[in-house]
């Protein structure tokens, strides 16, 4: 498979996962979420879609870049992709836990696991391709912020 097609395939997969996660949030964004007490640093709702879209694209490019090294470093690429798939699944699960189950505490525990898995993915990716690792840094930063926001929402509403 050609290198550009690999990148496009992983980007598309990430965007589809993001879209499906967004479906989980739609109803709660207008019904349940507005009823929560939020910290002063809670961003406006409109910011989340463009930020997540950008992050999913960056994740996908990073994943595609790693996949393009499968012939040179098969074991490291396989390890990185396992972490990548796990973190992508955890990413989707968070939306379900927080917005569908309305459970900020369970979502907080899960987002901590997600953050650890993103870090593991980043650690492997940067060994395979420096740019792929760098592409995950904004994702790490945003999920760190999301963890703090999640913890604050749980604390303020318990």
């Amino acid at each position: 498979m050609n290198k550009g097609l690999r990148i496009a395939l992983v980007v598309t997969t990430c965007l589809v996962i993001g879209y499906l996660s967004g479906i989980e949030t739609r109803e709660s964004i207008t019904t349940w979420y507005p009823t929560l007490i939020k910290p002063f640093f809670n961003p406006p709702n409109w910011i989340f879609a463009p930020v997540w879209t950008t992050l999913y694209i960056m994740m996908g490019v990073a994943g595609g870049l790693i996949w393009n090294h499968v012939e040179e470093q098969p074991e490291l690429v396989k390890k990185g992709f396992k972490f990548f798939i796990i973190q992508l699944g955890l990413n989707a699960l968070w939306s379900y836990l927080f917005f569908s189950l309305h459970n900020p505490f369970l979502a907080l525990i899960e987002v901590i696991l997600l953050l650890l898995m993103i870090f593991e993915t980043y650690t492997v990716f940067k060994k395979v391709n420096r740019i792929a690792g760098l592409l995950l840094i904004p994702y790490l930063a945003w999920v760190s912020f999301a963890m703090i926001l999640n913890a604050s929402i749980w604390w303020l509403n318990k």
Side-chain angles (χ1 to χ4, degrees):
M1 181 180 303
N2 116 3
K3 291 181 178 190
L5 187 56
R6 287 177 179 167
I7 292 171
L9 184 59
V10 183
V11 168
T12 301
T13 300
C14 290
L15 287 170
V16 167
I17 296 293
Y19 176 77
L20 295 173
S21 295
I23 289 172
E24 284 298 319
T25 68
R26 280 196 189 124
E27 184 180 333
S28 288
I29 287 290
T30 58
T31 57
W32 172 73
Y33 190 69
T35 68
L36 296 173
I37 302 166
K38 294 174 210 64
F40 70 91
F41 56 87
N42 190 72
N45 288 347
W46 64 264
I47 200 85
F48 290 98
V51 167
W52 276 111
T53 301
T54 302
L55 292 173
Y56 283 122
I57 291 168
M58 292 172 76
M59 267 188 264
V61 171
L65 289 172
I66 295 305
W67 189 5
N68 285 334
H69 290 277
V70 71
E71 288 83 20
E72 302 144 30
Q73 301 179 62
E75 292 308 311
L76 205 51
V77 168
K78 284 180 188 176
K79 181 179 179 182
F81 249 94
K82 284 179 189 174
F83 289 144
F84 185 80
I85 290 166
I86 292 167
Q87 69 79 25
L88 199 55
L90 288 170
N91 182 303
L93 179 60
W94 183 89
S95 294
Y96 177 76
L97 297 174
F98 191 90
F99 287 104
S100 294
L101 295 185
H102 302 168
N103 193 330
F105 180 71
L106 192 53
L108 175 59
I109 293 167
E110 195 271 355
V111 78
I112 293 167
L113 295 173
L114 171 59
L115 191 57
L116 293 170
M117 193 53 57
I118 296 167
F119 184 76
E120 289 298 320
T121 305
Y122 160 77
T123 301
V124 175
F125 274 27
K126 74 177 182 174
K127 291 177 185 173
V128 176
N129 181 290
R130 182 178 169 272
I131 293 170
L134 291 173
L135 284 168
L136 293 182
I137 291 175
Y139 182 35
L140 270 167
W142 183 257
V143 173
S144 296
F145 171 73
M147 181 185 67
I148 293 165
L149 183 59
N150 188 153
S152 300
I153 289 171
W154 168 72
W155 183 259
L156 292 169
N157 292 278
K158 63 180 183 160

Coordinates of all heavy atoms in Angstrom, one line a residue, residues 76-130:
L76 N 8.6 -2.6 16.6 CA 8.3 -1.3 17.3 C 7.0 -0.7 16.7 O 6.2 -0.1 17.4 CB 9.5 -0.3 17.1 CG 9.6 0.8 18.1 CD1 9.6 0.3 19.5 CD2 11.0 1.5 17.9
V77 N 6.8 -0.8 15.4 CA 5.6 -0.3 14.8 C 4.4 -1.1 15.3 O 3.3 -0.4 15.6 CB 5.7 -0.4 13.2 CG1 4.3 -0.1 12.6 CG2 6.7 0.6 12.7
K78 N 4.4 -2.4 15.4 CA 3.3 -3.2 15.9 C 3.0 -2.7 17.4 O 1.9 -2.6 17.8 CB 3.7 -4.7 15.9 CG 3.6 -5.3 14.6 CD 3.9 -6.8 14.6 CE 4.0 -7.3 13.2 NZ 4.4 -8.8 13.3
K79 N 4.1 -2.6 18.2 CA 3.9 -2.1 19.6 C 3.2 -0.7 19.6 O 2.2 -0.5 20.3 CB 5.2 -2.1 20.3 CG 5.1 -1.6 21.7 CD 6.5 -1.6 22.4 CE 6.5 -1.2 23.8 NZ 7.8 -1.2 24.4
G80 N 3.7 0.2 18.8 CA 3.1 1.5 18.7 C 1.7 1.5 18.3 O 0.8 2.2 18.8
F81 N 1.4 0.7 17.3 CA 0.0 0.6 16.8 C -0.9 0.0 17.8 O -2.1 0.3 17.9 CB -0.1 -0.2 15.5 CG -0.4 0.8 14.3 CD1 0.5 1.3 13.6 CD2 -1.8 1.1 14.1 CE1 0.2 2.2 12.5 CE2 -2.1 1.9 13.0 CZ -1.1 2.5 12.3
K82 N -0.5 -1.0 18.6 CA -1.3 -1.5 19.7 C -1.7 -0.4 20.7 O -2.9 -0.3 21.0 CB -0.6 -2.7 20.4 CG -0.5 -4.0 19.7 CD 0.2 -5.0 20.4 CE 0.5 -6.3 19.6 NZ 1.3 -7.3 20.2
F83 N -0.7 0.3 21.1 CA -1.0 1.5 22.0 C -1.9 2.5 21.3 O -2.9 3.0 21.9 CB 0.3 2.2 22.4 CG 1.2 1.4 23.4 CD1 2.5 1.5 23.3 CD2 0.6 0.6 24.3 CE1 3.4 0.8 24.1 CE2 1.4 -0.1 25.2 CZ 2.8 0.0 25.1
F84 N -1.7 2.7 20.0 CA -2.5 3.7 19.3 C -4.0 3.2 19.3 O -4.9 4.0 19.5 CB -2.0 3.8 17.9 CG -2.6 4.9 17.0 CD1 -2.3 6.2 17.2 CD2 -3.6 4.5 16.1 CE1 -2.9 7.2 16.4 CE2 -4.2 5.5 15.3 CZ -3.9 6.8 15.5
I85 N -4.2 2.0 19.0 CA -5.6 1.4 18.9 C -6.2 1.5 20.3 O -7.4 1.8 20.4 CB -5.6 0.0 18.3 CG1 -5.2 0.1 16.8 CG2 -6.9 -0.7 18.5 CD1 -4.8 -1.2 16.1
I86 N -5.5 1.1 21.3 CA -6.0 1.1 22.7 C -6.4 2.6 23.0 O -7.5 2.8 23.5 CB -5.1 0.5 23.7 CG1 -4.9 -1.0 23.4 CG2 -5.5 0.8 25.1 CD1 -3.8 -1.6 24.2
Q87 N -5.5 3.5 22.8 CA -5.8 4.9 23.2 C -7.0 5.4 22.4 O -7.8 6.2 22.9 CB -4.6 5.8 23.1 CG -4.1 6.1 21.7 CD -4.8 7.2 21.0 OE1 -5.5 8.0 21.6 NE2 -4.7 7.2 19.7
L88 N -7.1 5.0 21.1 CA -8.3 5.5 20.3 C -9.6 4.9 20.8 O -10.6 5.7 20.9 CB -8.0 5.1 18.8 CG -8.8 5.8 17.8 CD1 -8.7 7.3 17.8 CD2 -8.4 5.3 16.4
G89 N -9.6 3.7 21.3 CA -10.7 3.1 21.9 C -11.1 3.8 23.2 O -12.3 4.1 23.5
L90 N -10.1 4.0 24.0 CA -10.3 4.7 25.3 C -10.8 6.2 25.1 O -11.7 6.7 25.8 CB -9.0 4.8 26.1 CG -8.6 3.5 26.8 CD1 -7.2 3.6 27.3 CD2 -9.6 3.0 27.8
N91 N -10.3 6.8 24.0 CA -10.8 8.1 23.6 C -12.3 8.1 23.4 O -13.1 8.9 23.9 CB -10.0 8.6 22.4 CG -10.4 10.0 22.0 OD1 -11.6 10.3 21.7 ND2 -9.4 10.8 21.9
A92 N -12.8 7.1 22.6 CA -14.2 7.0 22.3 C -15.0 6.6 23.5 O -16.1 7.1 23.7 CB -14.4 6.0 21.2
L93 N -14.4 5.8 24.4 CA -15.1 5.3 25.6 C -15.4 6.5 26.5 O -16.4 6.5 27.2 CB -14.3 4.3 26.3 CG -14.9 3.7 27.6 CD1 -16.3 3.1 27.4 CD2 -13.9 2.7 28.2
W94 N -14.5 7.5 26.6 CA -14.7 8.6 27.5 C -16.0 9.3 27.2 O -16.7 9.7 28.2 CB -13.5 9.6 27.4 CG -13.7 10.7 28.4 CD1 -13.2 10.7 29.7 CD2 -14.4 11.9 28.2 NE1 -13.6 11.8 30.3 CE2 -14.3 12.6 29.4 CE3 -15.0 12.5 27.1 CZ2 -14.9 13.9 29.6 CZ3 -15.6 13.7 27.3 CH2 -15.6 14.4 28.5
S95 N -16.3 9.6 26.0 CA -17.5 10.3 25.6 C -18.7 9.5 26.1 O -19.7 10.1 26.6 CB -17.6 10.5 24.1 OG -16.6 11.3 23.6
Y96 N -18.7 8.2 26.0 CA -19.8 7.4 26.4 C -20.0 7.5 27.9 O -21.1 7.7 28.4 CB -19.6 5.9 26.0 CG -20.7 5.0 26.5 CD1 -21.9 5.0 25.9 CD2 -20.4 4.2 27.5 CE1 -22.9 4.2 26.4 CE2 -21.4 3.3 28.0 CZ -22.7 3.3 27.4 OH -23.7 2.5 27.9
L97 N -18.9 7.3 28.6 CA -18.9 7.4 30.1 C -19.4 8.7 30.6 O -20.2 8.8 31.5 CB -17.6 7.0 30.7 CG -17.0 5.7 30.4 CD1 -15.6 5.5 31.0 CD2 -17.9 4.6 31.0
F98 N -18.8 9.8 30.1 CA -19.2 11.1 30.6 C -20.6 11.6 30.1 O -21.4 12.0 30.9 CB -18.1 12.1 30.1 CG -18.2 13.5 30.8 CD1 -17.5 13.7 32.0 CD2 -19.0 14.5 30.2 CE1 -17.6 15.0 32.6 CE2 -19.1 15.7 30.9 CZ -18.4 16.0 32.1
F99 N -20.8 11.5 28.8 CA -22.0 12.1 28.3 C -23.2 11.2 28.2 O -24.3 11.6 28.4 CB -21.7 12.7 26.9 CG -20.9 14.0 26.9 CD1 -19.6 14.0 26.6 CD2 -21.5 15.2 27.3 CE1 -18.9 15.1 26.6 CE2 -20.8 16.3 27.4 CZ -19.4 16.3 27.0
S100 N -23.0 9.9 27.9 CA -24.2 9.0 27.8 C -24.5 8.4 29.2 O -25.7 8.4 29.6 CB -23.9 7.8 26.9 OG -23.7 8.3 25.6
L101 N -23.5 8.1 30.0 CA -23.8 7.5 31.3 C -23.9 8.6 32.4 O -24.3 8.4 33.5 CB -22.7 6.5 31.8 CG -22.6 5.2 31.0 CD1 -21.6 4.3 31.6 CD2 -24.0 4.5 30.9
H102 N -23.5 9.9 32.0 CA -23.5 11.0 32.9 C -22.7 10.7 34.2 O -23.2 11.0 35.3 CB -25.0 11.4 33.3 CG -25.8 11.8 32.1 ND1 -27.2 11.9 32.2 CD2 -25.5 12.0 30.8 CE1 -27.6 12.2 31.0 NE2 -26.6 12.3 30.2
N103 N -21.5 10.1 34.0 CA -20.7 9.7 35.1 C -19.3 10.3 35.1 O -18.4 9.7 34.6 CB -20.6 8.1 35.1 CG -20.1 7.6 36.4 OD1 -19.3 8.2 37.1 ND2 -20.5 6.4 36.7
P104 N -19.2 11.6 35.6 CA -17.9 12.2 35.5 C -16.8 11.5 36.3 O -15.7 11.6 35.9 CB -18.2 13.6 36.1 CG -19.6 13.8 35.9 CD -20.3 12.5 36.0
F105 N -17.2 10.8 37.4 CA -16.2 10.1 38.2 C -15.6 8.9 37.4 O -14.3 8.8 37.3 CB -16.7 9.6 39.5 CG -15.7 8.9 40.3 CD1 -14.6 9.6 40.9 CD2 -15.7 7.5 40.5 CE1 -13.7 9.0 41.7 CE2 -14.7 6.9 41.2 CZ -13.7 7.6 41.8
L106 N -16.4 8.1 36.8 CA -15.9 7.0 36.0 C -15.1 7.5 34.8 O -14.1 7.0 34.4 CB -17.1 6.1 35.6 CG -16.8 4.8 34.9 CD1 -15.8 3.9 35.8 CD2 -18.0 4.0 34.6
A107 N -15.6 8.6 34.2 CA -14.9 9.2 33.1 C -13.5 9.7 33.5 O -12.6 9.7 32.7 CB -15.8 10.3 32.5
L108 N -13.5 10.2 34.7 CA -12.2 10.7 35.3 C -11.2 9.6 35.4 O -10.0 9.7 35.0 CB -12.4 11.4 36.6 CG -11.1 11.9 37.3 CD1 -10.3 12.9 36.5 CD2 -11.5 12.5 38.7
I109 N -11.6 8.5 35.9 CA -10.7 7.3 36.0 C -10.2 6.9 34.6 O -9.1 6.6 34.4 CB -11.4 6.2 36.8 CG1 -11.7 6.6 38.2 CG2 -10.6 4.9 36.7 CD1 -12.6 5.6 39.0
E110 N -11.2 6.9 33.7 CA -10.9 6.4 32.4 C -9.9 7.4 31.7 O -9.0 7.0 30.9 CB -12.2 6.3 31.6 CG -12.1 5.5 30.3 CD -11.7 6.4 29.1 OE1 -11.6 7.6 29.2 OE2 -11.5 5.8 28.0
V111 N -10.1 8.7 31.8 CA -9.3 9.7 31.2 C -7.8 9.7 31.7 O -6.9 9.9 30.9 CB -9.9 11.1 31.2 CG1 -9.7 11.8 32.5 CG2 -9.3 12.0 30.1
I112 N -7.7 9.2 32.9 CA -6.3 9.1 33.4 C -5.6 7.9 32.7 O -4.5 8.0 32.3 CB -6.3 8.8 35.0 CG1 -6.8 10.1 35.7 CG2 -5.0 8.3 35.5 CD1 -7.1 9.9 37.2
L113 N -6.4 6.8 32.5 CA -5.9 5.7 31.7 C -5.6 6.1 30.3 O -4.6 5.7 29.7 CB -6.8 4.5 31.8 CG -7.1 3.9 33.1 CD1 -8.2 2.8 33.0 CD2 -5.8 3.2 33.6
L114 N -6.5 6.9 29.7 CA -6.3 7.4 28.4 C -5.0 8.2 28.3 O -4.2 8.0 27.3 CB -7.5 8.2 27.9 CG -7.4 9.0 26.6 CD1 -7.1 8.1 25.5 CD2 -8.6 9.9 26.4
L115 N -4.8 9.1 29.2 CA -3.6 9.9 29.2 C -2.3 9.1 29.3 O -1.4 9.3 28.5 CB -3.6 10.9 30.3 CG -2.6 12.0 30.3 CD1 -2.7 12.8 29.1 CD2 -2.8 12.9 31.5
L116 N -2.3 8.1 30.1 CA -1.2 7.2 30.2 C -0.9 6.4 28.9 O 0.2 6.2 28.5 CB -1.4 6.2 31.4 CG -1.4 6.8 32.8 CD1 -1.8 5.8 33.8 CD2 0.0 7.4 33.1
M117 N -2.0 6.0 28.3 CA -1.9 5.3 27.0 C -1.4 6.2 25.9 O -0.6 5.8 25.0 CB -3.2 4.6 26.6 CG -3.1 3.6 25.6 SD -1.8 2.3 25.8 CE -2.3 1.5 27.3
I118 N -1.9 7.4 25.9 CA -1.4 8.4 24.9 C 0.1 8.6 25.1 O 0.9 8.6 24.1 CB -2.1 9.7 25.0 CG1 -3.6 9.6 24.6 CG2 -1.5 10.8 24.0 CD1 -4.4 10.8 25.0
F119 N 0.5 8.7 26.3 CA 2.0 8.9 26.6 C 2.8 7.7 26.1 O 3.9 7.8 25.5 CB 2.2 9.2 28.1 CG 3.7 9.4 28.4 CD1 4.2 10.7 28.1 CD2 4.5 8.5 28.9 CE1 5.5 11.0 28.3 CE2 5.8 8.7 29.1 CZ 6.4 10.0 28.8
E120 N 2.3 6.5 26.4 CA 3.0 5.3 25.9 C 3.0 5.3 24.3 O 4.1 4.9 23.8 CB 2.3 4.0 26.3 CG 2.4 3.7 27.8 CD 3.9 3.5 28.2 OE1 4.6 2.8 27.5 OE2 4.3 4.0 29.3
T121 N 1.9 5.7 23.7 CA 1.9 5.8 22.2 C 3.0 6.8 21.8 O 3.8 6.5 20.8 CB 0.5 6.2 21.7 OG1 -0.5 5.3 22.3 CG2 0.5 6.2 20.2
Y122 N 3.0 7.9 22.4 CA 3.9 9.0 22.1 C 5.4 8.5 22.2 O 6.2 8.7 21.3 CB 3.7 10.2 23.0 CG 4.9 11.1 23.0 CD1 5.2 12.0 22.0 CD2 5.7 11.1 24.2 CE1 6.3 12.9 22.1 CE2 6.8 12.0 24.2 CZ 7.1 12.8 23.2 OH 8.2 13.7 23.3
T123 N 5.6 7.8 23.3 CA 7.0 7.3 23.6 C 7.5 6.3 22.5 O 8.6 6.4 22.0 CB 7.0 6.6 25.0 OG1 6.6 7.5 26.0 CG2 8.4 6.0 25.3
V124 N 6.6 5.5 22.0 CA 7.0 4.5 20.9 C 7.1 5.3 19.6 O 8.0 5.1 18.8 CB 6.0 3.3 20.8 CG1 6.3 2.5 19.6 CG2 6.0 2.5 22.1
F125 N 6.1 6.1 19.3 CA 6.0 6.8 18.0 C 7.3 7.7 17.8 O 7.8 7.7 16.7 CB 4.8 7.7 17.9 CG 3.6 7.0 17.4 CD1 3.4 5.6 17.6 CD2 2.5 7.7 16.8 CE1 2.2 5.0 17.2 CE2 1.4 7.1 16.4 CZ 1.2 5.7 16.5
K126 N 7.7 8.4 18.9 CA 8.9 9.2 18.7 C 10.2 8.4 18.4 O 11.1 9.0 17.8 CB 9.1 10.2 19.9 CG 9.6 9.6 21.1 CD 9.8 10.6 22.2 CE 10.4 9.9 23.4 NZ 10.8 10.8 24.5
K127 N 10.2 7.2 18.8 CA 11.4 6.3 18.5 C 11.4 5.9 17.0 O 12.4 5.7 16.4 CB 11.4 5.1 19.4 CG 11.6 5.3 20.8 CD 11.5 4.0 21.6 CE 11.7 4.3 23.1 NZ 11.4 3.1 23.9
V128 N 10.2 5.8 16.5 CA 10.1 5.4 15.1 C 10.2 6.6 14.1 O 10.8 6.5 13.1 CB 8.7 4.6 14.8 CG1 8.5 4.2 13.4 CG2 8.6 3.4 15.7
N129 N 9.5 7.7 14.5 CA 9.5 8.8 13.6 C 9.3 10.1 14.4 O 8.2 10.2 15.1 CB 8.3 8.7 12.6 CG 8.2 9.8 11.6 OD1 7.8 10.9 12.0 ND2 8.5 9.6 10.3
R130 N 10.2 10.9 14.4 CA 10.2 12.1 15.3 C 9.0 13.0 15.0 O 8.3 13.5 16.0 CB 11.5 13.0 15.0 CG 11.6 14.2 15.9 CD 12.9 14.9 15.6 NE 12.9 16.2 16.2 CZ 12.4 17.3 15.6 NH1 11.9 17.3 14.4 NH2 12.5 18.5 16.3

